[in-house]
Amino acid sequence: MNLVIDIGNTLIKYAVFENSTLLFDQASESKLFLSKVKELFEQFPKINQALISSVGKLEHKESDLLSLFCKVHVLSHDSKVPFKNSYATPHTLGMDRVALATAAFYKNPRKNTLVVDAGTCITYDMINDSGEYVGGAISPGIRMRYKAMNNQTAALPLLEPDEILDFIGNSTETSMHSGVINGVSQEIDGVIDQYRSRFQDLTVILTGGDFHFFAKRLKNTIFANSKFLLEGLNYLLEYNKR
C-alpha cells in the first residue's frame, strides 16, 4: 500500500492507495499531522511506501516523523517524471503541477490534455499527444480574489465564496460574488477555447478544492475529478520506486 501526503497552502491531504485504487483520503490542519499519521498506520498497517509533496517549504520534521513508519520519498525537482518536461524553468515548476501533469500522462495517454486546477491559485497545465509537458498558466484563485477586493478597497467586505443565481448582481455582495464566480467561469472557458484552437481533440480535466463552483457553469465539455492530484502523486511514487 502507498500513502501520499500533499502539504498545501492551507491544509494537508492524505490518501492511501492499493496499486492505483484509492482506498482513503482526508484532509487536516497541519498541527494534526502527527496524530493523523498515527491513525493511518493503525488503520492501514500494510502501508510500506510514502510520498510527501509540498507547495511550500517542507519542514524536515514531517519527513523524519513519517520515516519512522515506512520508506519515504520527498517529491522534488530531482524526482523522476514519466513525461518529457519542456518547461523553460523546470526547477520553478510546482510539485502540484508536476503531479497533475503525471496524472494526465497516465490517465489519458498520448492525447492532448489540459488540466485546470481550481485551488488557492488556478493553474492550467498542458500535456500534448506526444507525452510532452508544454506549460500552462497561473491565475489567482477565488478566495484570493475576494481577499484582494477587501484588502485593496475601503468599503468592500471580505466574503466567503458562494453560488450565484444570476450573473447580474443586485447588491454589493451579489455583485462581488458574480464578479468572482462568473468572472472565473468566463476566464476558464476563454482559456479552454484558446487551447482548443491550438490542440486537436483536447480533453479537459477540472480538479481542485473549488472545482464544484465551476463544473456545471462551464460551456466547454470537461471531466471533473476532485482526486486527480492525489492520483498523480501515487503515480509518481510508483514511478520513483523503480
Side-chain angles (χ1 to χ4, degrees):
M1 284 186 181
N2 291 340
L3 169 63
V4 298
I5 298 178
D6 174 34
I7 302 177
N9 290 298
T10 54
L11 294 172
I12 298 179
K13 302 181 185 72
Y14 314 82
V16 177
F17 288 84
E18 187 164 23
N19 298 318
S20 60
T21 301
L22 178 63
L23 302 179
F24 171 93
D25 73 282
Q26 198 173 67
S28 80
E29 296 178 357
S30 58
K31 63 183 179 182
L32 299 176
F33 181 81
L34 175 58
S35 60
K36 182 53 63 179
V37 166
K38 287 181 177 179
E39 286 177 17
L40 286 172
F41 278 90
E42 289 172 1
Q43 187 175 353
F44 300 99
K46 292 184 179 180
I47 294 172
N48 57 13
Q49 296 262 5
L51 177 144
I52 296 181
S53 171
S54 176
V55 297
K57 184 179 178 181
L58 177 67
E59 297 291 341
H60 287 295
K61 62 183 180 182
E62 280 95 351
S63 57
D64 290 346
L65 187 152
L66 194 56
S67 66
L68 298 175
F69 295 89
C70 70
K71 186 176 180 180
V72 179
H73 179 85
V74 178
L75 189 61
S76 72
H77 297 107
D78 295 322
S79 300
K80 295 183 294 184
V81 296
F83 53 85
K84 178 184 177 182
N85 191 350
S86 294
Y87 207 58
T89 55
H91 281 78
T92 69
L93 184 61
M95 293 298 101
D96 53 338
R97 300 179 71 190
V98 170
L100 294 169
T102 300
F105 178 87
Y106 279 114
K107 294 186 77 68
N108 202 32
R110 298 296 172 179
K111 294 182 180 178
N112 291 318
T113 307
L114 175 66
V115 184
V116 183
D117 183 7
T120 302
C121 286
I122 300 167
T123 58
Y124 303 84
D125 293 289
M126 180 70 205
I127 287 272
N128 66 21
D129 54 10
S130 297
E132 175 188 16
Y133 177 78
V134 296
I138 305 172
S139 179
I142 62 175
R143 285 169 177 78
M144 201 178 291
R145 299 181 194 218
Y146 282 112
K147 288 179 181 177
M149 286 192 285
N150 174 248
N151 289 337
Q152 301 298 319
T153 66
L156 294 180
L158 178 60
L159 302 180
E160 285 295 313
D162 199 4
E163 297 286 352
I164 59 173
L165 300 177
D166 193 355
F167 68 90
I168 301 176
N170 63 358
S171 69
T172 297
E173 290 194 1
T174 56
S175 295
M176 291 173 68
H177 288 309
S178 176
V180 174
I181 304 302
N182 183 60
V184 173
S185 299
Q186 297 297 317
E187 173 195 305
I188 294 173
D189 263 328
V191 171
I192 292 172
D193 286 343
Q194 286 183 314
Y195 279 84
R196 288 199 192 282
S197 69
R198 184 173 298 184
F199 298 96
Q200 294 183 342
D201 301 319
L202 182 70
T203 298
V204 181
I205 309 292
L206 177 66
T207 190
D210 293 326
F211 84 102
H212 58 282
F213 282 106
F214 311 110
K216 294 181 180 179
R217 292 186 177 278
L218 302 179
K219 66 178 177 63
N220 277 285
T221 301
I222 58 164
F223 295 93
N225 182 345
S226 62
K227 313 300 182 187
F228 207 63
L229 175 63
L230 296 174
E231 292 172 354
L233 292 174
N234 185 56
Y235 283 126
L236 282 167
L237 177 53
E238 286 294 326
Y239 193 73
N240 281 274
K241 286 180 183 179
R242 301 172 187 176

